[in-house]
């Protein structure tokens, strides 16, 4: 067994404060616009089987118990106590929490308390822009207020994150116009958006998204960019991180790191970019959690391409604390199987395997996000 230090979850969300029925729980396990296939549930997936393997023992049940038994125990304990037991059993010592998307989710302080861990905020750029727009009457006021809001956010956060870029079809705009938009272009885009939005309306304008991304890069904080499979209503090919190559090139040497989140099934492209550009890092966790028993093969593919100092664990967990647990447990299990196999073959020494494991588990994230300086 390869030993690792307590994990740093470099990207996740909070968990739900409310209880869930069987149907609601299962829906959060799947990535589908509709129900599971007839005669099955979303527990019939690699993620579902991983939940049944790793989570029941943390709630006092046998591994692989039937889903109905597991959820009955969950309801018996209540959402707060279930989350506390699950998160504290995950082995995660620090969370970087995206607080942007709406929902009845725990914030960083609540997550830290439940998991007996430290927690830091990763500020969602789109949400910040939408909050500024709600209180700005003119395009000029919006641009000025947004600059102030970004500066204020950068003072208290460890990263910025953008969820719209790689998943909503706006990456091609970055691919063809990777540089920052000019002031007149930004004001015109802001005026168009403010004129047609209602309060709370999401930012989708590619010019405004480019402006947000470039302001984040200029802040010096790491910028997390979503890639890979996401919203099933969007085209998968728009999540290919290779589409960000021109933006990656344009931001090289400016001092800010880019972290490519999720990636799967384009994890090789993300690993290639991390290998090719000094300021680019790639994510490990959610790809492993979703592939469950096959996670070792996915991890080995990432380790084929990216230098070991350029990969970081995350859970990507949202709503279900089980997703935080599964990502952490599957990551450790896959790491032991892959690196342990290489040690057994004589390709690696135990000392090198444990050193690399420590980098992937926590060391790289602590360095990139400056956690030990906080």
């Amino acid at each position: 067994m390869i030993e690792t230090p307590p994990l740093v979850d470099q990207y996740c969300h909070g968990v739900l404060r409310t209880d869930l029925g069987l149907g609601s729980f299962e829906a959060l396990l799947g990535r589908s616009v509709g129900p599971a296939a007839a005669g099955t549930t979303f527990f019939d997936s690699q993620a579902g089987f991983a939940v049944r393997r790793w989570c029941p023992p943390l709630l006092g049940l046998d591994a692989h118990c039937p889903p109905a038994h597991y959820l009955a125990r969950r309801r018996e304990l209540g959402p707060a106590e279930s989350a506390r037991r699950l998160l504290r059993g995950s082995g995660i010592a620090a969370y970087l929490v995206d607080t942007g998307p709406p929902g009845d989710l725990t914030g960083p302080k609540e997550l830290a308390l439940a998991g007996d861990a430290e927690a830091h905020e990763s500020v969602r750029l789109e949400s910040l822009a939408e909050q500024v727009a709600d209180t700005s009457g003119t395009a000029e006021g919006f641009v000025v207020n947004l600059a102030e809001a970004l500066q204020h956010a950068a003072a208290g956060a460890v990263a910025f994150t953008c969820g719209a870029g790689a998943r909503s079809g706006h990456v091609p705009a970055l691919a063809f116009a990777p540089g920052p938009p000019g002031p007149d272009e930004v004001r015109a885009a802001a005026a168009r958006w403010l004129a047609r939005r209602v309060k709370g309306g999401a930012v989708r304008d590619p010019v405004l998204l480019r402006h947000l991304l470039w302001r984040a890069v200029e802040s010096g904080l790491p910028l997390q960019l979503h890639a890979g499979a996401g919203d099933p209503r969007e085209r998968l090919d728009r999540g290919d991180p290779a589409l960000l190559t021109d933006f990656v090139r344009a931001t090289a040497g400016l001092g800010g790191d880019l972290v490519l989140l999720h990636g799967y099934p384009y994890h090789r492209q993300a690993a290639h970019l991390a290998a090719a550009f000094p300021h680019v890092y790639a994510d490990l966790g959610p790809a492993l959690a979703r592939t469950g028993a096959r996670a070792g093969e996915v991890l080995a593919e990432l380790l084929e391409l990216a230098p070991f100092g350029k990969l970081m664990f995350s859970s990507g967990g949202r709503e279900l604390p089980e997703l935080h647990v599964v990502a952490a447990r599957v990551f450790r299990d896959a790491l032991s199987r892959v690196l342990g196999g290489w040690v057994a073959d004589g390709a690696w020494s135990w000392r090198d395997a444990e050193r690399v494991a420590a980098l992937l588990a926590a060391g790289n994230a602590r360095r990139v996000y400056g956690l030990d300086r906080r």
Side-chain angles (χ1 to χ4, degrees):
M1 185 74 176
I2 302 293
E3 295 296 327
T4 64
L7 304 179
V8 172
D9 186 346
Q10 64 118 10
Y11 180 81
C12 69
H13 302 269
V15 300
L16 287 169
R17 300 184 179 96
T18 54
D19 211 346
L20 295 169
L22 180 62
S24 299
F25 188 96
E26 289 176 359
L28 295 176
L29 280 180
R31 286 186 171 178
S32 173
V33 295
T40 71
T41 76
F42 287 121
F43 271 103
D44 293 323
S45 64
Q46 288 285 8
F49 274 38
V51 166
R52 291 177 57 209
R53 176 185 181 183
W54 298 110
C55 296
L58 298 178
L59 302 187
L61 299 173
D62 292 334
H64 305 294
C65 71
H69 292 179
Y70 177 74
L71 292 176
R73 176 60 172 162
R74 209 178 183 274
R75 287 192 298 272
E76 177 186 350
L77 292 171
E81 178 61 16
S82 296
R84 189 187 71 83
R85 294 190 185 195
L86 290 164
L87 293 172
R88 293 189 181 201
S90 69
I92 297 172
Y95 297 96
L96 275 62
V97 185
D98 177 352
T99 57
D104 185 25
L105 304 180
T106 55
K109 291 182 179 179
E110 288 178 272
L111 198 65
L113 183 62
D116 191 24
E118 61 182 282
H120 309 275
E121 184 177 7
S122 181
V123 173
R124 178 70 71 115
L125 290 170
E126 306 97 296
S127 298
L128 185 67
E130 289 151 18
Q131 292 166 12
V132 171
D134 287 341
T135 57
S136 299
T138 65
E140 186 65 39
F142 169 78
V143 173
V144 172
N145 293 340
L146 181 62
E148 293 177 354
L150 285 163
Q151 184 177 13
H152 178 75
V158 296
F160 285 110
T161 186
C162 182
R167 291 184 176 174
S168 63
H170 294 308
V171 167
L174 290 174
F176 294 111
D184 291 343
E185 194 178 0
V186 173
R187 280 192 293 270
R192 290 193 302 271
W193 180 49
L194 292 174
R196 66 174 180 264
R197 82 185 287 270
V198 295
K199 189 170 184 179
V203 56
R204 292 286 185 265
D205 188 280
V207 172
L208 292 181
L209 287 171
R210 284 169 52 213
H211 177 66
L212 288 168
L213 292 173
W214 274 97
R215 298 293 79 77
V217 168
E218 292 168 359
S219 77
L221 288 181
L223 171 59
Q224 302 171 328
L225 296 167
H226 291 245
D231 189 333
R233 295 167 295 186
E234 302 292 348
R235 282 178 47 173
L236 178 61
D237 59 335
R238 289 175 175 165
D240 186 343
L243 292 169
L244 290 165
T245 302
D246 289 342
F247 178 69
V248 166
R249 286 200 180 100
T251 56
L254 298 182
D257 291 323
L258 305 180
V259 182
L260 304 178
L261 297 174
H262 310 332
Y264 187 82
Y266 299 108
H267 52 291
R268 283 180 174 272
Q269 285 90 321
H272 167 71
L273 289 171
F277 294 94
H279 68 307
V280 177
Y281 293 79
D283 190 33
L284 290 171
L288 306 186
R290 291 289 176 181
T291 50
R294 290 278 298 172
E297 287 75 10
V298 176
L299 177 61
E301 289 178 345
L302 285 157
L303 293 172
E304 286 175 9
L305 287 165
F308 309 133
K310 304 299 288 297
L311 298 170
M312 296 183 284
F313 165 76
S314 81
S315 71
R318 174 182 166 86
E319 298 173 318
L320 299 180
E322 284 83 357
L323 298 179
H324 299 73
V325 172
V326 164
R329 294 297 185 96
V330 168
F331 166 72
R332 278 199 166 103
D333 181 67
L335 200 61
S336 285
R337 285 190 283 117
V338 172
L339 301 192
W342 294 343
V343 171
D345 290 342
W348 287 35
S349 70
W350 273 110
R351 179 177 295 178
D352 282 337
E354 291 191 339
R355 181 174 59 84
V356 170
L359 290 175
L360 305 181
N364 291 336
R366 289 197 172 276
R367 182 185 74 251
V368 170
Y369 297 104
L371 300 186
D372 292 334
R373 299 194 300 270
R374 291 183 172 269

